[in-house]
Amino acid sequence: MEEEKSKDNAKLDLKSITEQQSCFDKNWILHLNKQESINDFICLICKQVANNPMEINCSQHENMDESLIVGGNCLNQFLNQNPNSCPVEPHDNCSYFRSRVAKRYINELDVICPRQLQQEQEQQLQMSTQQGYEEGETSEIVNCDFKGK
C-alpha cells in the first residue's frame, strides 16, 4: 500500500517538474521538424516552443490572427514580475487557460534528444575539420609543386 502511494507521489512530482520546466529549445526541435509545424506554438515570452502551453484570452486581442501561446513557466515568471498584466502589450485583466490542443500538437512533434543533437553536431564539425585538413594538405602539395617548377 505504501509502495503504491510512493509511486503515485513520484508521478505527481514528475508531472510538476515537467510543468515547471522552461520552454523547449526550438533549435533541437527544428532538427526533425519544419518551421511551419511549430509557428503556432512559439512562446510569446521566450520565443521557444511552449512547454505546458497556456493560451492568452484578452478582449484587446480578440481580433488577432495569430495564436497567443506562452509556456506555463514563462507565464508564471512574467506574472510574478508583472502582476495582472498581459505579455503581449501592457494592459490588465487577461485570462489564461491551458491549451490542450496546442499541448497535443507539441507532444506529437518529432524531437531529438539535445545530447544526441550535440553529439551529431560535434561529429559533423569533426568531419568538416578533417575534410578541410585533407583539402589543405592537397593544396599545400600543389602549391609546393607549383613553386618548385
Side-chain angles (χ1 to χ4, degrees):
M1 183 97 169
E2 284 184 36
E3 199 172 302
E4 287 178 20
K5 285 182 183 179
S6 64
K7 285 181 183 179
D8 289 341
N9 287 341
K11 286 180 185 177
L12 289 174
D13 289 343
L14 181 60
K15 183 178 179 184
S16 64
I17 289 169
T18 303
E19 290 177 355
Q20 292 174 5
Q21 287 179 342
S22 58
C23 293
F24 304 115
D25 184 341
K26 66 182 175 185
N27 292 322
W28 59 267
I29 291 177
L30 285 173
H31 191 71
L32 297 177
N33 299 277
K34 294 182 180 180
Q35 180 71 42
E36 302 86 45
S37 63
I38 67 166
N39 284 342
D40 292 329
F41 311 117
I42 300 296
C43 174
L44 294 171
I45 297 171
C46 72
K47 309 300 183 215
Q48 301 298 322
V49 177
N51 179 22
N52 191 26
M54 305 291 287
E55 192 163 344
I56 301 170
N57 186 11
C58 302
S59 58
Q60 289 85 346
H61 307 302
E62 65 188 9
N63 295 327
M64 288 183 80
D65 228 9
E66 64 187 61
S67 59
L68 301 176
I69 299 288
V70 293
N73 191 41
C74 289
L75 180 61
N76 285 336
Q77 289 178 6
F78 178 83
L79 291 175
N80 283 338
Q81 295 171 1
N82 310 286
N84 199 29
S85 188
C86 176
V88 179
E89 60 186 31
H91 64 267
D92 294 341
N93 300 322
C94 287
S95 59
Y96 309 95
F97 61 93
R98 289 180 192 228
S99 179
R100 291 181 179 153
V101 172
K103 187 172 187 169
R104 185 175 69 226
Y105 281 110
I106 291 168
N107 287 340
E108 290 176 1
L109 289 170
D110 293 324
V111 295
I112 186 171
C113 170
R115 290 182 185 156
Q116 183 181 356
L117 176 60
Q118 182 180 6
Q119 185 179 23
E120 286 180 11
Q121 289 172 338
E122 289 171 359
Q123 287 174 347
Q124 287 175 348
L125 180 63
Q126 285 176 348
M127 287 175 60
S128 64
T129 303
Q130 194 174 34
Q131 287 174 347
Y133 177 73
E134 289 171 0
E135 289 172 6
E137 283 182 347
T138 304
S139 63
E140 286 179 21
I141 292 170
V142 170
N143 288 337
C144 288
D145 286 345
F146 181 76
K147 288 179 184 177
K149 287 185 178 181

